[in-house]
Each structure stands twice: as C-alpha cells, then as structure tokens.
Amino acid sequence: MPARLALDRIADFAAEQGYERLEVGVWPGTGGRDFEAAHLPVATFTDEDAAATRDLLDRTGLEISALAYYENNLHQDLDRREEVRTHLKHAIDAAQVLGVPYVGTFIGRDNSKSVRENMTEGNQVLPELVDYAGERGVRLIIENCVMEGWHPDGYPGNLAYSPSSGVGSPASASV
C-alpha cells in the first residue's frame, strides 16, 4: 500500500501549484484500500480539529470544496451498511462545522439483489441521508464510478454508473 501524505503536506503542495480548493478524504483510518484517505478524523471531530483545519486553510489560502467518503451505502451486510451510514453522517457533521458545502458519497449496490430491488432499497435508505445533510446546510454529491470488481458477476457495483440507471433523473430527484 502506498504511503499516505498528511493533509498539511498535501495542502502545502496544492497551494504551491496554484490550486484553490481540495476535496478532502475522510474515510475512517482503516487503510484498507488504495483509494481511502483519512485526512480529517470526522468520527471524533473536535473544536480543536476544526480550528487546526481552519488554520491550515488560512495559512495555505485554500478552501475545501468537499469532504469525500465514497463507500457503499447499499452494502448487503446490514452491519457494514450501518457503519457506512454512521460515518457518512460524521462527514456531514464535520462539513457543517467547517462550512464545507458538499460531501461526496457513493450509492453503491447490494450485490445480492437485482437493480430493481436496489432501486427500491435506495429509495428507502438514501432520503434519510439527504435530509440529514440538508438539515445541516450540506449537500450530498454522488460518485458515478462503475466500481468494476465490486459485483461478483461483473456488473457495475454502483447504481449511479449510467444515466439509464435512473439515479439522478428527474423521477428520482428525491433520492
């Protein structure tokens, strides 16, 4: 697994290169996959963490465009799904404290169910998360990566991989 850079090193580099904003990864510090990054401890985010983050942003002249936690919100293991849901709410709470307008997430898919069944499940699971974010002045943004390899039969592991999936269409705008 590649070494992870601390947020201050990333911010310093980004500022030197002329960047204005960063999307900041907020996975739990599990280090399970290459694309996970735990740059802010959102599950235990304190006033001191918020102040240190603001100081870093002030020092570098950067803003945070979004907090990133792209995990499977429809995971077939309901205990794992609850872990994802809970951590996503922590990310939303931290975004509110920091004044970050967006939290990026992933719809995902229960690979034991059909697309139709997943759409029904998503309509039950996702509105609560959208409402939770909205009540805090934060908007959820959805990753549309196919996530090949997440589904054992080779189908996409994410319902939001294509406009034809219906996710994001006017008919599903409440999701």
Side-chain angles (χ1 to χ4, degrees):
M1 174 174 296
R4 306 283 185 230
L5 295 178
L7 183 57
D8 60 340
R9 286 193 57 203
I10 293 169
D12 287 339
F13 175 81
E16 288 169 10
Q17 301 306 309
Y19 285 87
E20 297 174 359
R21 291 171 190 82
L22 296 174
E23 178 184 44
V24 176
V26 295
W27 274 263
T30 59
R33 295 176 293 220
D34 287 345
F35 59 81
E36 292 178 359
H39 290 122
L40 293 176
V42 297
T44 60
F45 206 63
T46 64
D47 291 340
E48 291 79 21
D49 293 323
T53 303
R54 285 188 196 101
D55 288 346
L56 174 64
L57 297 173
D58 289 344
R59 180 176 60 77
T60 59
L62 295 168
E63 296 178 16
I64 297 176
S65 60
L67 298 183
Y69 178 58
Y70 299 105
E71 279 297 336
N72 188 350
N73 283 286
L74 297 179
H75 200 286
Q76 73 185 58
D77 178 326
L78 296 182
D79 290 335
R80 177 66 182 130
R81 184 187 294 182
E82 181 61 23
E83 290 171 5
V84 170
R85 179 184 153 282
T86 298
H87 195 76
L88 181 57
K89 286 183 171 184
H90 291 313
I92 293 165
D93 292 340
Q96 178 188 23
V97 168
L98 292 171
V100 174
Y102 303 107
V103 171
T105 191
F106 179 75
I107 290 176
R109 181 175 177 190
D110 176 340
N111 64 17
S112 71
K113 296 181 178 180
S114 69
V115 169
R116 182 177 301 279
E117 291 169 318
N118 271 276
M119 294 298 288
T120 299
E121 189 77 11
N123 281 325
Q124 294 170 2
V125 170
L126 299 171
E128 181 227 349
L129 296 169
V130 170
D131 290 345
Y132 187 87
E135 291 164 2
R136 286 151 183 80
V138 175
R139 297 186 72 175
L140 293 179
I141 55 177
I142 303 298
E143 169 66 50
N144 66 343
C145 178
V146 176
M147 295 310 289
E148 295 172 323
W150 275 26
H151 200 278
D153 62 6
Y155 286 108
N158 182 13
L159 290 180
Y161 72 93
S162 164
S164 66
S165 70
V167 176
S169 69
S172 65
S174 64
V175 176

